[in-house]
Amino acid sequence: MFAWLKKPASETQITHGQRLWLYVLAVIIMVLLVTPTLIVIPMSFSDSQYLEFPPRVWSLRWYEHYLSSPEWMLATWTSLKTAFLTMLVATPAGVLAAYGLHASQVRFVRAAFLFLITPMMVPLVLVAIGVFYVYAQIGILYTLFGLVLAHSILALPLVVIVIGSALKSYDMSQENAARSLGAPRWKAFVTITLPQIRFAVVTAALLSFLTSFDEVVVAMFVSGGDNPTLTRNMFNALRDQIDPTIAAISTIMICVTTFLMVLAQIFGQQRAAKD
Amino acid sequence: MRSQDSDALPISIRGVTKTYGAVHALDDVSLEVKSGEFITLLGPSGSGKTTLLMVIAGFTRPDCGSLKFGEREVIRTPPHLRDLGMTFQSYALFPHMSVAGNVAYPLKLRKLQKAEIAERVEKALETVQLGGYGDRRITQLSGGQKQRVALARSIVFEPRILLMDEPLSALDKKLRDQMQIELRHLHEKLGMTTVYVTHDQREALTMSDRIAVVNKGRIMQLASPRELYERPANRFVADFIGDSTFLPVERSGEQVSYGGMPLKFVQAPPDTPTLALMVRPERIVLSSEGPREGANNFAATAVEVVYQGDSYLLHARLDDGTLIALRGGVRGASLSALPNVGDKVTLTLAPEDTVLIDGSEA
Ligand SMILES: Nc1ncnc2c1ncn2[C@@H]1O[C@H](COP(=O)(O)OP(=O)(O)OP(=O)(O)O)[C@@H](O)[C@H]1O
Ligand SMILES: [Mg+2]
């Protein structure tokens, strides 16, 4: 243990001992960040009518309540459908956009890129209000279509950035080689470029799924009626009655999200290892 | 499969211009490549060699001009329909496929039978001396092997035109020399019209039927290696190919003289307003017995003598101050007879080696 403290931690010969304060600080920050999230997990297994910590009696009743409630099931189904469709829309659109930006030699490429990632920079509430008014005008408020569209706008910047960075380390002359060998451009893209950025594509797809699945602000405005998302219903439930069902659902969502994030990480790593 | 009699196609480039903003990457280039010919584009960095190759391959659309393969105008044909083989400076192999997968790629696009693909892939790999390497991954290959795979992939579908952009520049000298000879043999065997790009003059001289020297988007001279070296059309070519020193000369009527001394020469000088005498280090000779009858003699002072193993290099200053390089053999007694720094020496140039060229700066 003490020997380890004296070992260099980096090329610059700083020892682990000298870095100790940094490690402690990192742990404190992580605890502060993660604890509030994790606290709902024990709360969800409580038998109490109210959210309480620590629970006095353990039970699965709130999970049962969630699974047997038609409203919660409808919301879950909506969220999953929306997230899945968002993934299907945003991933191909984003991949094509990133490819276009990468391959094109036009001068306004930079501007086009900034334009595509604006949804990431504008405050979400503004996007939500804007989308709400537009949807109200054209009558697609509370529809699955509208929801998917809005979420795709939010997911698109992520896809463009992830794919764009993957393409940076890809040698485009391979595609030219394929074309000179007789492949039309689209075929060169599908058979040569796409297989080599596949990990980035999977990562981007998972991220766009998550973007939609976790999203609450825009969903508050444009989901509802027949198509309420899980996040929206949770938010409303919190306002009306504080009920441990929320904790149960949160726990499930944390599990799903963590799982997908880990997947995305793994694919990201594979990509890094491949380069 | 193509028939035997249409092995190669001539390429005809007429008046091709390509500008990038204010840069003339290609400036009214015309070039006729004969069928089956091995032609090299040689020029300094940024002279437009790659651009011209990209125009032929179809990746760059020129501002104007015409491009014909045989009788067919192809300026508007997309790259994948031009049916030419091309190797890239970065190899551009597909790392997610095996060696065989790479070589089979153009054949699969042409929807050949599986058995025939396998057979032709193996044959192409054998041609580049990589028989049995089909299952290797691209990342497991050395630079020279990658180069060979790229070559096999570009010839496996028997294109009638082959384009190569500095294919050997990433290899070390030994391998490069070996690959030059191999490429040359391959060209003799397959006979396709070949346009080769390099900025290595020795490589160009070794391999080509004809060389097009390119500078600032223009073709300065198109000639056989020998003619290019012996009779450069202008100072740029003379300077770019081989080392040379230029001496100012005056013309009066039929006579050309350097510093008041009439020059003896064989080849008539070009009909240009100014002339220069081109002196190659390996053509000018150190005379041990003073001025020689029937040759052009220059009095000079030895400035530096460098022993280089296979030869020696002598720098000598002429009386007018010009520094001249002379390369001499080290055979027998010549090494011991070398002058010392500061010695007066006589340099002689035979009339056959006295080359007068256009003296204006290109
Ligand atoms: N896509 C482009 N955009 C702008 N300028 C370009 C482009 N491609 C080439 N050029 C310019 O055209 C000129 C010729 O370039 P080219 O690549 O043909 O040179 P090269 O002879 O192949 O040089 P090298 O030996 O360095 O490869 C250069 O001045 C270059 O800067
Ligand atoms: Mg080049």
Side-chain angles (χ1 to χ4, degrees):
Chain A
M1 177 67 200
F2 290 106
W4 175 79
L5 284 178
K6 293 215 167 58
K7 279 196 185 141
S10 75
E11 301 287 329
T12 52
Q13 299 294 316
I14 287 182
T15 63
H16 286 291
Q18 285 165 306
R19 282 244 178 115
L20 208 53
W21 66 274
L22 199 60
Y23 299 150
V24 172
L25 184 67
V27 169
I28 291 174
I29 291 174
M30 275 201 277
V31 168
L32 286 178
L33 283 174
V34 174
T35 317
T37 317
L38 294 185
I39 221 160
V40 303
I41 296 176
M43 279 157 94
S44 71
F45 292 102
S46 155
D47 192 46
S48 156
Q49 279 287 342
Y50 305 98
L51 287 171
E52 63 171 22
F53 185 84
R56 275 163 298 176
V57 188
W58 300 89
S59 130
L60 286 173
R61 62 183 284 205
W62 300 111
Y63 285 89
E64 268 166 46
H65 179 242
Y66 163 65
L67 290 170
S68 59
S69 148
E71 283 137 56
W72 282 118
M73 284 299 101
L74 173 68
T76 307
W77 185 226
T78 304
S79 271
L80 285 174
K81 264 193 302 193
T82 310
F84 188 71
L85 291 174
T86 299
M87 180 176 86
L88 289 190
V89 173
T91 313
V95 169
L96 291 182
Y99 176 77
L101 290 177
H102 184 74
S104 136
Q105 284 158 3
V106 209
R107 212 166 301 144
F108 55 80
V109 160
R110 186 82 209 142
F113 174 75
L114 288 178
F115 178 74
L116 275 177
I117 63 165
T118 36
M120 232 164 110
M121 303 189 289
V122 176
L124 214 48
V125 193
L126 288 186
V127 177
I129 295 171
V131 169
F132 176 80
Y133 277 109
V134 173
Y135 281 15
Q137 287 290 319
I138 59 176
I140 55 170
L141 221 42
Y142 311 133
T143 61
L144 190 64
F145 172 75
L147 197 55
V148 168
L149 196 65
H151 279 175
S152 298
I153 294 171
L154 297 181
L156 201 64
L158 286 173
V159 181
V160 170
I161 288 171
V162 170
I163 302 297
S165 85
L167 284 173
K168 279 213 181 83
S169 60
Y170 167 73
D171 175 14
M172 282 294 272
S173 69
Q174 285 182 41
E175 211 173 89
N176 280 354
R179 289 164 73 193
S180 80
L181 293 169
R185 189 156 194 181
W186 66 268
K187 201 162 193 173
F189 175 74
V190 172
T191 58
I192 303 300
T193 307
L194 205 51
Q196 293 186 62
I197 57 167
R198 62 188 185 279
F199 294 123
V201 174
V202 174
T203 306
L206 289 173
L207 287 178
S208 41
F209 185 92
L210 278 180
T211 303
S212 163
F213 193 65
D214 281 350
E215 205 283 326
V216 59
V217 181
V218 173
M220 288 297 292
F221 282 80
V222 303
S223 84
D226 292 340
N227 296 296
T229 70
L230 203 49
T231 46
R232 178 200 149 89
N233 274 16
M234 285 168 74
F235 212 79
N236 287 345
L238 269 179
R239 206 175 44 201
D240 301 343
Q241 89 271 10
I242 300 216
D243 168 333
T245 317
I246 302 253
I249 299 170
S250 299
T251 305
I252 295 174
M253 280 186 82
I254 290 170
C255 290
V256 171
T257 308
T258 312
F259 175 71
L260 291 183
M261 281 303 251
V262 168
L263 267 192
Q265 271 297 317
I266 291 173
F267 279 107
Q269 297 265 302
Q270 292 220 18
R271 199 177 108 217
K274 194 180 59 90
D275 290 343
Chain B
M1 296 266 335
R2 62 165 208 259
S3 61
Q4 215 44 46
D5 57 345
S6 59
D7 261 322
L9 271 180
I11 305 172
S12 163
I13 302 165
R14 298 238 172 95
V16 165
T17 294
K18 175 75 191 175
T19 52
Y20 290 108
V23 178
H24 279 266
L26 293 176
D27 191 358
D28 192 22
V29 168
S30 296
L31 179 64
E32 303 286 330
V33 187
K34 293 179 211 139
S35 110
E37 191 176 26
F38 193 118
I39 219 165
T40 297
L41 307 177
L42 175 66
S45 190
S47 54
K49 307 179 297 285
T50 299
T51 308
L52 183 54
L53 211 64
M54 287 298 172
V55 166
I56 301 175
F59 294 115
T60 299
R61 170 80 65 89
D63 304 338
C64 61
S66 127
L67 172 67
K68 279 185 180 168
F69 296 167
E71 291 304 305
R72 187 165 64 111
E73 173 65 56
V74 292
I75 203 85
R76 287 175 194 288
T77 312
H80 68 279
L81 298 178
R82 294 201 182 186
D83 209 29
L84 43 78
M86 181 162 187
T87 66
F88 292 77
Q89 189 165 357
S90 58
Y91 308 136
L93 294 173
F94 310 139
H96 60 299
M97 298 180 183
S98 65
V99 167
N102 268 272
V103 181
Y105 187 79
L107 301 178
K108 282 189 183 139
L109 288 171
R110 286 166 177 76
K111 305 234 158 38
L112 264 57
Q113 297 290 318
K114 260 215 169 89
E116 191 183 353
I117 290 181
E119 187 187 317
R120 283 174 69 169
V121 166
E122 195 49 42
K123 210 176 118 213
L125 285 175
E126 267 161 28
T127 310
V128 297
Q129 303 182 2
L130 280 180
Y133 276 66
D135 295 330
R136 294 279 185 102
R137 298 216 62 80
I138 295 302
T139 47
Q140 297 170 336
L141 301 179
S142 72
Q145 288 168 336
K146 282 185 189 159
Q147 186 52 60
R148 284 161 210 256
V149 175
L151 189 62
R153 187 179 65 181
S154 64
I155 58 173
V156 69
F157 58 104
E158 304 189 347
R160 298 197 277 178
I161 294 170
L162 182 61
L163 309 178
M164 291 192 261
D165 193 357
E166 308 210 15
L168 307 182
S169 61
L171 305 182
D172 62 52
K173 181 163 183 324
K174 211 160 187 178
L175 197 55
R176 198 159 64 219
D177 291 347
Q178 182 191 342
M179 285 294 291
Q180 283 172 9
I181 305 291
E182 275 179 34
L183 280 180
R184 192 62 229 192
H185 284 323
L186 201 65
H187 175 254
E188 270 153 28
K189 188 161 134 198
L190 304 174
M192 62 262 276
T193 309
T194 303
V195 182
Y196 189 93
V197 167
T198 183
H199 58 244
D200 178 341
Q201 43 150 317
R202 184 165 292 277
E203 190 167 301
L205 293 170
T206 309
M207 303 182 70
S208 328
D209 293 326
R210 283 193 299 164
I211 298 172
V213 179
V214 188
N215 186 37
K216 294 187 187 147
R218 287 220 288 269
I219 294 185
M220 308 301 289
Q221 188 175 6
L222 172 65
S224 70
R226 184 150 181 187
E227 194 184 337
L228 209 61
Y229 194 86
E230 306 286 339
R231 305 272 157 229
N234 50 48
R235 258 180 104 137
F236 176 81
V237 176
D239 209 16
F240 192 70
I241 314 249
D243 301 313
S244 30
T245 313
F246 302 100
L247 300 179
V249 293
E250 302 96 46
R251 172 173 13 209
S252 54
E254 288 295 290
Q255 194 166 28
V256 179
S257 51
Y258 164 72
M261 169 186 77
L263 291 173
K264 308 178 181 77
F265 50 86
V266 175
Q267 182 85 17
D271 206 11
T272 51
T274 56
L275 285 178
L277 171 63
M278 176 182 84
V279 182
R280 299 272 198 209
E282 74 282 359
R283 296 292 161 89
I284 191 159
V285 187
L286 183 65
S287 164
S288 46
E289 60 262 23
R292 213 177 279 172
E293 202 66 23
N296 299 304
N297 298 290
F298 303 87
T301 314
V303 173
E304 193 178 23
V305 184
V306 188
Y307 171 73
Q308 291 185 328
D310 60 348
S311 60
Y312 70 86
L313 198 60
L314 166 71
H315 291 288
R317 196 175 295 283
L318 296 185
D319 291 345
D320 70 352
T322 320
L323 207 57
I324 279 207
L326 179 154
R327 184 176 294 283
V330 287
R331 206 172 280 126
S334 57
L335 203 54
S336 52
L338 282 184
N340 294 315
V341 172
D343 286 0
K344 293 276 174 210
V345 293
T346 304
L347 312 179
T348 64
L349 198 58
E352 298 78 31
D353 293 327
T354 305
V355 180
L356 295 162
I357 61 168
D358 182 356
S360 56
E361 297 282 343

